[in-house]
């Protein structure tokens, strides 16, 4: 992926208007450390995550700076329609993705996460814990290349309710419990050995991992396929065209998520800049 592509002329129907580029609303940050959503002017946002303090490791100065840059990078969430294959950087969160790829510290790891009912949040948490406290790498960065049913966890609860996403996610998920921060994440972060604390299995949630610097990437291909499934199952009360329904889902990604043109295609881009693959 060439950085120059970001500056290519935007000739597509859904390109961001010039008066929106370079303009941002105030940042939505979680304790200065969370890679939260910063919104382009005119953008519709997902529900705000609870205000929380950072859980970045002491000494993670570069990682903290990255989360601040990611928070400042625009996320467009006012699409009216999107194509099946994205072919212009204006159609995904290109600036935020490039900030992620430019991170020079590390180590860096990208997880290939596909199943919402799998152990994906726990294994990323375990990897963080061992890298930070066992191997003494406070600048360790984790990215989740999220697709398949795991991508359902990146939509806000209003979207789960409207489109009955539990029917796609499975009976275990009557609601999107993975975006609900657990009480354990409020425990004293200095006690990292607490078996019921902020770094334990009791604190598994997407917001808690974001507070630790984990970056969640959403897959446009998964969004398109999920839109098709919603339509096929008759779960869209508005009976939108497929391109409009995929846009609606895109507009309701939770704050902090980076939209990619495709998770599987983004993984080699991350590997090329030093991310280690994990599944």
């Amino acid at each position: 992926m060439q950085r120059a592509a970001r500056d290519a002329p935007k000739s597509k129907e859904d390109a961001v208007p010039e008066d929106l580029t370079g303009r941002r609303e105030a940042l939505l940050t979680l304790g200065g450390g969370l890679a939260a959503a910063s919104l382009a002017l005119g953008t519709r946002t997902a529900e705000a995550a609870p205000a929380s303090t950072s859980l970045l490791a002491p000494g993670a100065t570069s990682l903290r700076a990255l989360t601040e840059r990611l928070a400042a990078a625009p996320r467009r969430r006012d699409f009216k329609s999107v194509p099946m294959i994205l072919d212009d950087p204006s159609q995904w969160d290109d600036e935020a993705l490039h900030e992620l790829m430019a991170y020079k510290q590390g180590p860096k790891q990208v997880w290939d996460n596909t199943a919402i009912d799998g152990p994906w949040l726990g294994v990323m948490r375990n990897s963080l814990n061992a890298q930070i406290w066992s191997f003494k790498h406070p600048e360790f960065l984790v990215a989740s290349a999220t697709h398949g049913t795991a991508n359902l966890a990146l939509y806000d609860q209003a979207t789960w309710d409207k489109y009955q996403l539990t029917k796609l996610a499975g009976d275990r998920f009557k609601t999107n419990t993975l975006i609900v921060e657990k009480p354990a994440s409020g425990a004293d972060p200095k006690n990292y050995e607490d078996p019921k604390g902020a770094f334990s299995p009791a604190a598994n949630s997407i917001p808690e991992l974001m507070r630790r610097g984990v970056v969640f990437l959403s897959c446009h291909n998964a969004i398109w396929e999920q839109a098709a499934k919603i339509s096929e199952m008759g779960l869209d009360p508005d009976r939108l065209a497929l391109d409009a329904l995929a846009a609606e889902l895109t507009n309701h990604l939770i704050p902090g998520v980076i939209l990619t043109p495709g998770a599987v295609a983004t993984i080699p881009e991350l590997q090329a800049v030093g991310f280690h693959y994990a599944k």
Side-chain angles (χ1 to χ4, degrees):
M1 181 184 295
Q2 298 297 319
R3 188 177 182 88
R6 294 169 49 191
D7 301 320
K10 296 181 173 57
S11 59
K12 305 298 177 185
E13 181 179 356
D14 263 328
V16 179
E18 287 187 6
D19 65 326
L20 296 187
T21 58
R23 301 175 61 189
R24 303 179 180 91
E25 292 183 353
L27 306 181
L28 175 62
T29 58
L30 305 185
L34 171 62
S38 175
L39 311 172
L41 186 63
T43 296
R44 178 166 56 186
T45 74
E47 295 175 350
S52 306
T53 57
S54 169
L55 289 175
L56 295 177
T61 55
S62 294
L63 185 56
R64 185 178 301 277
L66 172 66
T67 65
E68 292 170 356
R69 291 194 301 273
L70 289 176
R75 313 286 204 274
R76 184 179 175 191
R77 298 293 185 264
D78 64 347
F79 291 100
K80 302 301 182 184
S81 67
V82 293
M84 182 179 71
I85 300 173
L86 304 188
D87 60 0
D88 187 280
S90 67
Q91 298 167 334
W92 64 87
D93 296 333
D94 183 63
E95 186 171 332
L97 185 58
H98 276 89
E99 288 289 359
L100 177 66
M101 294 172 63
Y103 184 66
K104 299 302 183 185
Q105 299 299 318
K108 302 177 287 187
Q109 193 171 53
V110 56
W111 285 84
D112 187 357
N113 293 318
T114 60
I116 192 172
D117 59 351
W120 57 305
L121 299 185
V123 292
M124 289 192 294
R125 174 183 50 78
N126 286 338
S127 183
L128 279 165
N129 289 349
Q131 278 286 322
I132 292 169
W133 288 294
S134 303
F135 295 114
K136 312 303 181 186
H137 293 147
E139 301 277 27
F140 179 57
L141 172 62
V142 170
S144 171
T146 320
H147 54 124
T149 59
N151 199 73
L152 296 169
L154 303 184
Y155 301 128
D156 61 31
Q157 185 57 49
T159 300
W160 271 64
D161 293 340
K162 180 175 181 178
Y163 297 110
Q164 303 178 58
L165 295 185
T166 183
K167 294 184 177 180
L168 278 66
D171 289 341
R172 177 181 168 189
F173 294 94
K174 299 300 184 184
T175 61
N176 188 5
T177 56
L178 300 186
I179 60 172
V180 178
E181 195 163 358
K182 305 297 189 292
S185 67
D188 183 1
K190 294 179 181 179
N191 184 9
Y192 60 82
E193 296 284 11
D194 183 355
K196 295 184 178 180
F199 309 115
S200 74
N204 275 352
S205 73
I206 289 172
E208 189 268 349
L209 287 175
M210 284 182 166
R211 289 169 60 196
R212 300 188 65 183
V214 176
V215 179
F216 286 84
L217 308 175
S218 177
C219 175
H220 167 73
N221 293 328
I223 292 172
W224 183 272
E225 291 167 4
Q226 286 157 3
K229 192 69 172 177
I230 289 168
S231 182
E232 291 168 6
M233 295 174 67
L235 301 177
D236 175 17
D238 301 323
R239 298 185 178 181
L240 297 174
L242 187 53
D243 58 351
L245 181 52
E248 179 74 0
L249 295 179
T250 301
N251 293 341
H252 284 274
L253 293 169
I254 61 174
V257 169
I258 296 176
L259 175 66
T260 74
V264 173
T266 301
I267 288 172
E269 300 294 306
L270 294 172
Q271 288 178 300
V273 293
F275 280 78
H276 298 275
Y277 178 83
K279 184 174 176 64

